Amino acid sequence: MSLKNPKLLLAIPAIALIFIFMILPITNMVEMSFRTPGISAPFGDAYTTMHYDRILSDGYYWGVLLRSLLTAGAVTLLCLLVSYPIAWHMSKAKGMKAVLLYACIASPLMTGVLVRNFGWMIAAALNGPLNETLLALGIIERPLRLLFTQGLVILALVHVFVPFMVLPINNALRNISPTLIEASSSMGANRREVFRDIILPLSFPGIYPGMILVYVLAVAAYVTPALLGGQMVSYMPTLIIGELTGTFQWPFGSALAIVLSVSTILVVGLFTALTSRLMERSKA
């Protein structure tokens, strides 16, 4: 690397960090996924594709993988529906009102993950506040089993991941010039047309990274599915941790992690390809 270009020298620390904490672990995991199972050790000395053959030929793992991807998709869509109105109000707020809104949005991130999930376990218990409220309102006649269900996992993940969707959308909405909205309104466009043709396309640079971020975080979430889903609802991260730390089958756990990573990359790539045209439209 030439000293004539000091900018490249400044990039060395970043490149080193990416290599040490990203490329090196991933390479090690890929290599581990092809190792044979060990007898007295977590892995053997030879190489094999038996772990991938087992995953791809067993419907159980396909089902768990599909559940993980669909759950992450449902969390992402619900976060978008919840976050957009909040981001809109935040973009219009000023002064102390804006500070309070930011504090409310960031509050789930200020609570420990175990405390937050145990709070959900208490709230969703048979005699917890959620069932008592539904019984008091006459919506249900007997307590519902909310704990250890996929619905509760989705609800808890939406609760914690909403800030990751609100903040980029809020930033995009703040960058929309009010003159564009005033001009479109003065030309006869109603509120629905202004939102559809002006606000929504111009806010997509915030929607896109928010959806990608929430989806990746949701598909890799472990603690919330493990505590609130329990043994009744299996997800890929819980299977991977079980193989790595429970049965110490490191090669098979690594193969599960690689399959989950590749599937997530394919979903994100497909989403990017489908939405690239809308992104170009928002930039025009």
Side-chain angles (χ1 to χ4, degrees):
M1 190 172 293
S2 175
L3 293 176
K4 295 180 180 179
N5 193 346
K7 292 182 179 179
L8 294 178
L9 292 176
L10 294 175
I12 290 178
I15 295 173
L17 287 175
I18 291 174
F19 179 78
I20 294 172
F21 294 106
M22 183 175 175
I23 296 177
L24 197 59
I26 291 176
T27 304
N28 189 25
M29 183 173 292
V30 172
E31 190 263 345
M32 177 65 68
S33 68
F34 288 100
R35 288 279 194 175
T36 54
I39 299 175
S40 58
F43 57 92
D45 296 329
Y47 291 90
T48 179
T49 60
M50 61 178 292
H51 308 300
Y52 290 101
D53 295 337
R54 177 183 172 187
I55 296 170
L56 299 178
S57 61
D58 194 328
Y60 171 74
Y61 296 110
W62 279 105
V64 174
L65 176 63
L66 186 61
R67 181 184 298 118
S68 300
L69 298 178
L70 292 178
T71 298
V75 170
T76 304
L77 290 177
L78 288 174
C79 280
L80 176 61
L81 293 176
V82 172
S83 301
Y84 204 97
I86 297 173
W88 174 260
H89 285 291
M90 288 178 64
S91 68
K92 301 300 179 185
K94 296 180 180 178
M96 185 56 66
K97 183 180 179 181
V99 174
L100 292 175
L101 285 174
Y102 276 106
C104 291
I105 290 301
S107 60
L109 303 178
M110 300 177 183
T111 309
V113 61
L114 290 177
V115 174
R116 188 172 58 243
N117 284 292
F118 278 120
W120 275 108
M121 294 175 74
I122 295 172
L126 286 177
N127 57 350
L130 287 177
N131 269 317
E132 289 183 353
T133 302
L134 294 175
L135 287 170
L137 294 175
I139 299 176
I140 59 176
E141 296 181 353
R142 63 185 65 181
L144 299 175
R145 189 179 68 83
L146 302 173
L147 198 56
F148 306 133
T149 62
Q150 191 171 4
L152 183 61
V153 173
I154 292 174
L155 186 61
L157 290 177
V158 170
H159 169 232
V160 68
F161 290 147
V162 157
F164 296 99
M165 186 77 79
V166 168
L167 296 179
I169 296 177
N170 171 60
N171 186 53
L173 290 173
R174 284 184 178 277
N175 290 330
I176 298 176
S177 175
T179 56
L180 289 174
I181 300 175
E182 295 172 0
S184 58
S185 299
S186 65
M187 296 179 68
N190 56 37
R191 290 186 176 182
R192 179 180 299 179
E193 292 170 336
V194 170
F195 175 77
R196 183 193 62 199
D197 298 333
I198 304 296
I199 298 176
L200 185 59
L202 292 180
S203 63
F204 202 77
I207 295 174
Y208 173 75
M211 293 186 71
I212 296 295
L213 184 59
V214 169
Y215 186 83
V216 172
L217 290 174
V219 83
Y222 166 69
V223 177
T224 297
L227 292 178
L228 302 183
Q231 300 297 324
M232 304 295 291
V233 186
S234 296
Y235 292 93
M236 285 296 279
T238 55
L239 281 183
I240 293 169
I241 297 299
E243 295 292 338
L244 294 177
T245 63
T247 59
F248 291 100
Q249 294 296 323
W250 292 4
F252 187 65
S254 299
L256 287 172
I258 295 299
V259 169
L260 178 61
S261 301
V262 171
S263 302
T264 304
I265 292 172
L266 290 176
V267 172
V268 171
L270 180 62
F271 175 75
T272 301
L274 293 175
T275 56
S276 58
R277 183 175 298 179
L278 191 55
M279 288 284 288
E280 292 297 327
R281 180 184 174 187
S282 66
K283 292 178 181 178

